[in-house]
Amino acid sequence: MIYEGKAITVKEIEGGIAQLNFDLQGESVNKFNRLTIEELRAATDKLEAQKGLKGLVVTSSKDSFIVGADITEFTELFAGPEEDLVANNLKANEVFSAIEDLPFPTVTAINGMALGGGFEMCLATDYRVMDTKAKVGLPEVKLGIFPGFGGTVRLSRLVGVDYAVEWICGGTENRADKALKVGAVDAVLEGEKLVEAAIGIINQCNDGKLDYQARREEKKGKIKLNAMESMMAFEISKAYVAGQAGKNYPAPVEAIKVMQKHAGLTRDKAIEVEAKGFAKMAKTNVAACLVGLFLNDQELKK
């Protein structure tokens, strides 16, 4: 065993390939609470230090992959100063960037629902394979915010501005066939074949048949649009989304503004822009109300 915690374990499964598995003890679903983020940091440190590893497969033991952040932590977090929110986001993002920078190919096996921070975890790896019945998405706008673990940065570079705007501003949960079509995932298979497929991709990378480094650099680079194309894509999107969302629901348009602002920046600088924008939205009355409504609804369902 390379690492063992209460939410995450890491072990070598075959031929120098490690498996990082999410299985939050005492919970029916995996979610990114403080414990999970800290364990992911510790597990990533162990992976960086481990000699002889040739790849990483990320998995989940739950029926869902990861349903997102632990929203019960939002009320206290969002009540703090805006600069603390920015610092908190940047600290969490260091973990996802460390996964993205691991010195070997990485693949996520998406066995079920991967939403919000759960999908942002998937985006941090080089490749993604997905169960036919799974769904992925970034639904944060439904809580008056937008993705804060690098989602606006990585998705816009992976699938392009138009699809990123559609997914982030619509807050949609997307089926496997659509995710494959837009390039958000690399393969769709039956659940029992996911890990085998992920190992196959890693072997192809190590055999030189797939260039995972080039794939990684695309995600970490600037959006591939010239100045005119960028202006057209973002201005048209802002006008359309503003008309759909209305003036009392600022997060979707703010998400586009943030993507426009970081379009010409590389990953680390772009994530700083996202973190500042996220903190700004988290401090709005709209976010406070929508998070409160969500938590009350969850309480009623108990």
Side-chain angles (χ1 to χ4, degrees):
M1 189 71 74
I2 297 170
Y3 176 83
E4 188 168 12
K6 294 178 180 177
I8 292 170
T9 55
V10 183
K11 63 182 180 181
E12 194 171 327
I13 48 175
E14 66 171 74
I17 295 173
Q19 178 183 21
L20 187 155
N21 187 60
F22 286 91
D23 189 6
L24 184 57
Q25 292 175 21
E27 297 282 354
S28 60
V29 295
N30 290 316
K31 51 192 172 185
F32 273 120
N33 54 11
R34 288 186 182 95
L35 170 74
T36 305
I37 292 278
E38 286 309 312
E39 288 196 1
L40 186 59
R41 184 186 305 275
T44 305
D45 288 344
K46 291 284 189 182
L47 285 163
E48 287 173 342
Q50 189 81 5
K51 303 294 183 188
L53 288 182
K54 296 179 180 178
L56 175 70
V57 179
V58 181
T59 60
S60 162
S61 289
K62 309 290 192 193
D63 291 336
S64 57
F65 178 71
I66 303 171
V67 296
D70 185 349
I71 296 166
T72 62
E73 295 180 354
F74 280 12
T75 307
E76 181 188 344
L77 190 66
F78 290 7
E82 197 167 317
E83 56 268 27
D84 287 1
L85 275 165
V86 174
N88 186 73
N89 261 40
L90 291 176
K91 188 179 177 187
N93 270 294
E94 287 173 2
V95 185
F96 294 100
S97 294
I99 289 164
E100 192 166 43
D101 293 339
L102 285 168
F104 40 73
T106 56
V107 186
T108 303
I110 308 170
N111 64 305
M113 200 76 81
L115 300 176
F119 186 46
E120 287 171 293
M121 173 69 217
C122 304
L123 292 171
T125 59
D126 301 316
Y127 298 93
R128 287 147 295 284
V129 294
M130 185 174 176
D131 189 305
T132 53
K133 299 180 185 67
K135 288 184 179 179
V136 296
L138 298 168
E140 288 89 343
V141 293
K142 294 176 181 178
L143 296 175
I145 51 176
F146 52 74
F149 289 163
T152 72
V153 178
R154 293 187 178 95
L155 189 65
S156 58
R157 284 144 180 81
L158 186 68
V159 304
V161 171
D162 290 346
Y163 285 126
V165 166
E166 180 185 329
W167 281 35
I168 292 168
C169 298
T172 51
E173 295 177 7
N174 305 282
R175 290 160 44 119
D177 54 351
K178 184 171 183 182
L180 182 64
K181 182 181 177 183
V182 305
V185 300
D186 301 286
V188 173
L189 309 104
E190 296 298 329
E192 66 273 9
K193 298 175 183 175
L194 288 175
V195 172
E196 181 186 344
I199 291 169
I201 289 172
I202 289 168
N203 288 334
Q204 286 185 69
C205 291
N206 289 324
D207 290 342
K209 294 174 183 174
L210 289 173
D211 190 345
Y212 77 94
Q213 293 281 16
R215 194 81 182 296
R216 188 176 287 189
E217 289 309 309
E218 278 188 13
K219 258 197 303 143
K220 292 167 64 176
K222 303 172 183 179
I223 290 177
K224 290 183 176 177
L225 293 175
N226 64 38
M228 181 58 73
E229 289 169 337
S230 182
M231 186 188 75
M232 291 289 289
F234 286 113
E235 294 303 324
I236 289 169
S237 294
K238 279 190 288 189
Y240 175 76
V241 170
Q244 295 291 307
K247 65 180 187 298
N248 297 319
Y249 196 47
V253 173
E254 288 297 320
I256 300 171
K257 288 179 180 177
V258 158
M259 284 189 276
Q260 185 172 18
K261 195 171 181 180
H262 67 52
L265 302 174
T266 52
R267 183 193 67 192
D268 293 349
K269 291 292 184 186
I271 282 172
E272 288 178 17
V273 172
E274 181 189 89
K276 289 173 183 173
F278 176 92
K280 178 183 171 185
M281 287 296 95
K283 296 299 293 179
T284 61
N285 287 332
V286 176
C289 291
L290 290 173
V291 168
L293 284 169
F294 177 87
L295 292 174
N296 288 341
D297 186 52
Q298 294 301 299
E299 196 64 35
L300 288 171
K301 288 178 181 177
K302 287 182 180 179

